[in-house]
């Protein structure tokens, strides 16, 4: 179906787009060799279909800012988000709903983390990712008007979450996810992943 894939090797980050009817339907796999370990990973291809369904998946391997191999996944606190921990972000939208999901591996076991979608890409300064993305401008932070992906890791350091809304992102308005050291509306920024969210 004319699928196209974009693979970025920086820090083991891979981003895949293409044409399919949903995250479980059709598509091919995008392969990248992770710079940190040489392991090959496969990610499903996402994209827009004729039926109006869109989906995307982006994977990253965390490394500290200024690392020898640049990465779109940055850890600012290696005690909470160790270098080589992994993140996956998925986005799925149809005519009536919008879902953003995450899965992380290699974190501190049995610990609560906060996570939100932010407005700007990641950089060496954690503040560079800007504020939380908000559907409507508001002085308060809440999971109805924002995309909250708070999670708790299991005994193996794996955590996952999904947020669902009836609204989607404005074009160029959502650019990253920030991992926080506490759940809720605020908390110290401990990691960031630049994500090619679609509107």
């Amino acid at each position: 179906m004319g699928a196209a894939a974009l693979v970025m090797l920086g820090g083991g980050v891979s981003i895949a787009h293409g044409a399919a009817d949903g995250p479980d339907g059709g598509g091919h796999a995008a392969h990248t060799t992770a710079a940190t370990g040489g392991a090959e990973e496969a990610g499903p291809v996402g994209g827009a279909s004729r039926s109006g369904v869109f989906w995307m998946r982006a994977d990253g391997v965390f490394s500290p800012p200024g690392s020898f191999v640049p990465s779109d996944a940055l850890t600012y606190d290696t005690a909470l988000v160790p270098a080589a921990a992994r993140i996956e972000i998925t986005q799925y939208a149809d005519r009536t709903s919008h879902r953003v999901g995450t899965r992380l591996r290699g974190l501190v076991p049995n610990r609560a983390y906060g996570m939100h979608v932010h407005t700007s890409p990641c950089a060496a300064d954690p503040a560079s990712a800007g504020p939380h993305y908000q559907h409507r401008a508001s002085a308060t932070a809440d999971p109805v008007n924002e995309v909250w992906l708070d999670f708790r890791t299991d005994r193996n350091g794996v955590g996952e979450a999904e947020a669902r809304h009836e609204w989607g992102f404005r074009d160029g308005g959502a650019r990253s996810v920030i991992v926080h050291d506490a759940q809720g509306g605020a908390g110290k920024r401990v990691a960031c992943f630049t994500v090619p969210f679609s509107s």
Side-chain angles (χ1 to χ4, degrees):
M1 292 189 57
L6 166 68
V7 176
M8 305 177 88
L9 295 177
V13 175
S14 68
I15 301 165
H17 295 276
D21 284 330
D24 298 318
H28 303 281
H31 299 276
T32 181
T33 300
T36 56
E40 189 170 59
E41 288 196 351
V45 174
S49 74
R50 292 184 192 135
S51 61
V53 172
F54 170 84
W55 69 290
M56 176 277 305
R57 171 181 162 166
D59 301 280
V61 179
F62 287 105
S63 64
S67 294
F68 179 71
V69 178
S71 177
D72 284 337
L74 301 175
T75 175
Y76 307 118
D77 185 336
T78 55
L80 294 179
V81 180
R86 295 176 177 269
I87 184 170
E88 172 187 292
I89 297 290
T90 56
Q91 180 186 11
Y92 176 84
D94 58 27
R95 287 176 167 69
T96 61
S97 67
H98 182 249
R99 300 192 317 245
V100 175
T102 188
R103 180 175 169 83
L104 297 100
R105 294 178 285 152
L107 302 184
V108 176
N110 303 310
R111 191 185 194 288
Y113 291 84
M115 181 185 280
H116 311 98
V117 172
H118 282 247
T119 60
S120 299
C122 308
D125 179 358
S128 296
H132 295 180
Y133 176 89
Q134 294 189 323
H135 177 56
R136 292 189 177 89
S138 172
T140 60
D142 67 74
V144 175
N145 192 41
E146 301 177 349
V147 179
W148 289 23
L149 296 162
D150 292 356
F151 63 92
R152 183 173 188 85
T153 56
D154 63 16
R155 63 182 181 165
N156 298 312
V158 175
E160 55 187 49
E162 183 178 80
R164 295 176 183 235
H165 296 90
E166 294 178 357
W167 47 264
F169 296 129
R170 290 179 298 281
D171 189 26
R175 304 288 300 281
S176 64
V177 292
I178 286 277
V179 180
H180 296 270
D181 67 346
Q183 294 186 344
K188 178 184 172 188
R189 299 181 182 200
V190 296
C192 184
F193 181 36
T194 299
V195 181
F197 288 114
S198 180
S199 55

